[in-house]
Each structure stands twice: as C-alpha cells, then as structure tokens.
Amino acid sequence: MPTTAIVSDIHSNAVALRAVLADIDSVGADRIVCLGDIIGYGPEPLESVDLVAERCEWSLLGNHDFAVLYEPTNFNPGAESAAYWTRDQFEAEPDEAKRRERYEFLGRLRVRVVEKIGPWPLLAVHGSPRKPINEYIFPDDAINAYEKMRQIFDRVDRLAIVGHTHVPGVFTDETDFYPPDELGEGGFKLREGEKVIINVGSVGQPRDGDPRACYALLYQDRVEFRRVEYDIKDTADKIKAITELDDYLAERLFSGQ
C-alpha cells in the first residue's frame, strides 16, 4: 500500500518545508498531501506555495490561505498584518502569468478531501470535521469537551487527518489523546472498529514545545510522526528583516511555541 506523507501549517517557512521534503524523499514516501495554511506568518510565501504546488498531490484551504485570498477574520493584529503583507508579495510578482498561476492555485484549494487508505475511509480537513477551516481540536478537548468531541467524531466514518493547532497527536473516539512521544516505536496502530483523528502537527511553526518541523507518514495500518531539524535562525532572521512581520513570529520558532 502506498505511503502518504502529510504536511500541514507550513506558514511561509520554506526553509522548514525544504528540510521536510528532503526527509520525505529519504524515507521513500509514495505521495505527499498538504492540509493547508501554506502561507501566513512567515517570510517566504511565494516559495512555499510553489513548492506545495510542485510536490503535493493535493492541498486543502487553511484559514490563513483563506485570509490572503479573501479577508482575514478573527485574526490577532500580528496575524492580520502578516496576511496583508503576504498578499502584497503575491501582488508584487512581476511575471503576470506566474502571479495568476499562484492565485488560481489558491483558488482551487478544497475545504475537504474524502478518499480511502486501504480499506479505511479517510477524511482530510484543515481544522475539524465539523468546521473544516476554522475549528481547533485541542488535546485538552479529549478530557474537557466531551460533547464537542462527540459531535466531531459523529462526522468521521473511520479516519480523519487535521492540522490547525500545530500540535501533533492522535485522538480516539474513546476520548483519548496520544502525543507522539507516548506512541513508541512504530507509531499509532489503526484498529478495526476504532475512530481516529490524527493531527499531523506543523512544518513551519510547531507549538508542542519541540521546535523541529513535524509531519506524519500514514500507512495502511498505522501512522508515524517524524521531526526534522532545520535552520531556524535562517527563517527567524528573514522574519525580523520584514517590518510588517512581528518579531515574536521569529522568536517563537526557537521554543516550538
């Protein structure tokens, strides 16, 4: 069965994305898919979009992609400023054909994808099965938000993959959450009769305390998480050189927060 590499939340961090793509190539994954938020926050939106368009079989629409293509909604000032600056970079492209190609790529991004991984139906969204673009599923929800999780799992036939929180791990319909460091060698095994939601983490802005880029490998019977080191200072320096991007967006990369 082909191996699927799943990336998400790149956030215009092309340095991290290149490192992850090299790691994916090294493990020999058969294909790559992206769960959205290709852009926003980071210093290299055009490069990031071009890489995803070139290397990924498909990508979803994340809330930051939506913000640049349409309007930022419910964004904090730093995120909103980054969205407008990102749009300016698309507009500043001197090659009219390239500019149109990038906008058309963003415009084709879907809200959800449904397919099969072996015998399992797979739902892919950026946020949650209930609200595909904007809803967060936090690790604490497994304990503190029973009704929310019940409604979300009602929309999952068997297996779902999400991003958005930048925190990797596996939710089960028994209201459990398993972070990658609790899974051990071989990752999380998919079991008959169990519903699972996999958050694949973030390539460009991890928030689980580990600053390394994160992505997931999905097999027919299991999911594995991989962490990849990259030159954080390179990305941070690029952010700090751009007046419209908050320096905090650079500093948080070093702590994985």
Side-chain angles (χ1 to χ4, degrees):
M1 179 66 196
T3 308
T4 300
I6 311 165
V7 300
S8 189
D9 297 275
I10 296 154
H11 285 296
S12 300
N13 188 341
V15 177
L17 179 56
R18 291 189 192 97
V20 164
L21 291 172
D23 191 72
I24 291 171
D25 290 341
S26 75
V27 300
D30 298 284
R31 66 173 189 153
I32 310 170
V33 301
C34 176
L35 303 186
D37 274 5
I38 304 166
I39 49 181
Y41 291 137
E44 296 181 294
L46 305 186
E47 295 87 340
S48 298
V49 164
D50 290 348
L51 283 168
V52 169
E54 175 188 352
R55 295 297 308 276
C56 294
E57 185 175 296
W58 49 258
S59 179
L60 297 176
L61 182 72
N63 58 311
H64 284 260
D65 309 316
F66 181 94
V68 171
L69 193 59
Y70 302 106
E71 287 297 326
T73 55
N74 299 318
F75 276 25
N76 63 49
E80 183 176 285
S81 178
Y84 287 127
W85 174 83
T86 299
R87 184 183 298 169
D88 288 343
Q89 306 318 297
F90 279 81
E91 292 293 332
E93 170 59 60
D95 185 330
E96 182 179 345
K98 192 65 179 175
R99 183 169 64 252
R100 183 174 62 252
E101 181 182 327
R102 290 185 180 122
Y103 272 124
E104 288 176 351
F105 172 77
L106 291 180
R108 290 193 304 269
L109 297 179
R110 289 174 286 177
V111 172
R112 60 167 59 81
V113 168
V114 178
E115 58 182 32
K116 278 199 170 185
I117 295 293
W120 314 121
L122 173 70
L123 169 65
V125 293
H126 176 70
S128 87
R130 187 169 65 168
K131 298 177 181 178
I133 296 179
N134 290 310
E135 184 172 42
Y136 293 94
I137 309 176
F138 293 109
D140 287 352
D141 289 341
I143 299 173
N144 300 325
Y146 173 80
E147 184 59 25
K148 172 184 175 180
M149 295 304 295
R150 186 192 65 79
Q151 291 182 19
I152 286 172
F153 269 108
D154 280 348
R155 291 163 170 80
V156 177
D157 288 334
R158 173 67 178 82
L159 177 64
I161 49 176
V162 303
H164 198 36
T165 66
H166 303 203
V167 179
V170 179
F171 297 88
T172 73
D173 58 353
E174 294 180 350
T175 64
D176 292 319
F177 176 78
Y178 299 95
D181 59 5
E182 291 185 10
L183 298 179
E185 189 174 349
F188 184 87
K189 302 296 191 297
L190 302 176
R191 294 183 286 269
E192 186 69 41
E194 183 176 56
K195 291 185 179 184
V196 171
I197 298 173
I198 300 162
N199 190 308
V200 302
S202 172
V203 168
Q205 195 191 84
R207 295 180 187 169
D208 62 337
D210 186 337
R212 296 175 297 171
C214 185
Y215 76 98
L217 290 172
L218 183 60
Y219 300 86
Q220 183 172 335
D221 63 342
R222 69 190 189 282
V223 61
E224 296 179 2
F225 296 90
R226 289 183 66 86
R227 303 307 288 241
V228 181
E229 293 189 7
Y230 72 97
D231 189 344
I232 296 175
K233 186 176 184 301
D234 186 355
T235 297
D237 287 347
K238 289 172 181 173
I239 291 173
K240 290 180 178 180
I242 298 167
T243 304
E244 293 85 349
L245 299 183
D246 193 320
D247 283 357
Y248 172 66
L249 297 173
E251 293 157 2
R252 73 186 306 174
L253 298 178
F254 291 98
S255 61
Q257 301 291 340

